[in-house]
Amino acid sequence: TQEPVSFPFSEPGPYYVGMWEYPIVDESRNDRQLQLTIWYPALKRSDDEGGATTFKAEPDLSGAPYPLILTEMDSASYIFRSHLASFGFVMAEIEVPGYFDKWDFQTADWPLDFLFALDQIASNPPSGLVGVIDATHTGVVGYSFGGQISLALSGARIDPGYYLSFCEQMPTMQPAYEAWYSSLACDLAKKWDAFAVHVGDEITTSDDGLWQPMTDERIRAVMPMGADGAWLFGEQGLAAADRPVLLIQAAKDSPYQPTEAAFIFEHIGTPERAMISFIGKSHIGMLEGGSKDRMQHFATAFFGYHLQGREDYADFFSEEFVSQFDDLYWGVYPKE
């Protein structure tokens, strides 16, 4: 049997890593407070520190400015930490308000938080990181709710008509949805008018029935992992996504198809789209064992290709690469 190839970008990269923490306040949205943790390539301080992350370490300017990657705190804490910075990226972990609350108005609040953080990092970086960050080449990655944030920042647009119709029909759909999923997906429909007022006319007003995209031209690629929320965008809303997307999904997630992962992949509009399914993995199982190493690898390769211009990295998230592994599948896995 041929020995399978490894995941070369799952090991730490060549850079030492520094970390910088600071708060920002969005005065335009009732003084909404966010906490940022910035991970960046740094100089080694002493021979005995090894590859450890150092708080406010002097940045390594040899490859600066470095592309920026935005993520939420669970993905930063449980999957990436200093990994992407060790490969020549600046990663901003955005701690958003209400992250552990029930899925609700945050559907719009969180993508807007990411856009505000992007503006602040680009225009007013910490004094020690001036010249380090290339915010004109930004990527977004996140898991679960973070995947939904990433999906929203792809250019996908909320489709109120599709969403409200989906929720109206959900009680009679077959096979039936579990109660927890119905609540997660459709409790927002019960207060849709209040939600639209909360989001505001700038986003909700349009000529085609879809809300305006919540994204930024500086965002060049997104990697939603374990994403939910397909029902919020619908076919037309997903078709509006217009930048490269790599979906990472657990084939035993509930539901995987036909209304979530498979639906997103089928309808997302960007011509540069790919999906890698982790066979036998559940939603929580993706955060255990070697799956995290693989997600680190795919994120490094995907963003290296799209943000750093590393043409050679394309091979490491390609169909040919993925097909070498019995527990990975390129596209929608048909057997679970």
Side-chain angles (χ1 to χ4, degrees), residues 118-125 218:
L118 172 57
D119 281 339
Q120 291 299 300
I121 293 168
S123 63
N124 189 30
R218 293 169 291 190

Side-chain angles (χ1 to χ4, degrees), residues 285-302:
M286 287 283 283
L287 301 178
E288 301 170 349
S291 294
K292 292 190 292 184
D293 294 342
R294 294 180 174 197
M295 286 187 279
Q296 290 175 350
H297 166 90
F298 288 128
T300 304
F302 177 69

